[in-house]
Amino acid sequence: MPDVFWVLHGSDGGCIIPQGATGEAKLLESLQALPQFRDEAMIDAMSSAENNRFVCWQRSEKNA
């Protein structure tokens, strides 16, 4: 069972991608290219031993 899940959501729906899924490396590369992606939040998530949510990126009003 994966320890980390990428949860992507927007106003029209979303998806959940488990760590280790096919294409995860490309997904992470794309996410890290987003303006103001928070690498420190991702590092905190990867090192957390408890169930929690970490916001790595959020669309800003000017990027909407």
Side-chain angles (χ1 to χ4, degrees), residues 1-10 13-22 24 27 31 53:
M1 177 99 171
D3 287 335
V4 174
F5 294 85
W6 297 100
V7 179
L8 308 174
H9 59 87
C15 63
I16 299 172
I17 302 105
Q19 182 180 30
T22 301
E24 182 197 15
L27 170 66
L31 291 173
R53 290 183 182 207

Side-chain angles (χ1 to χ4, degrees), residues 22-43:
T22 301
E24 182 197 15
K26 180 64 177 162
L27 170 66
L28 180 55
E29 182 181 316
S30 296
L31 291 173
Q32 288 179 304
L34 292 168
Q36 300 182 1
F37 181 85
R38 296 182 59 232
D39 285 303
E40 60 279 354
M42 184 187 69
I43 293 166

Side-chain angles (χ1 to χ4, degrees), residues 36 57-64:
Q36 300 182 1
W57 184 80
Q58 194 166 350
R59 181 187 301 251
S60 70
E61 289 297 319
K62 69 179 186 176
N63 291 330

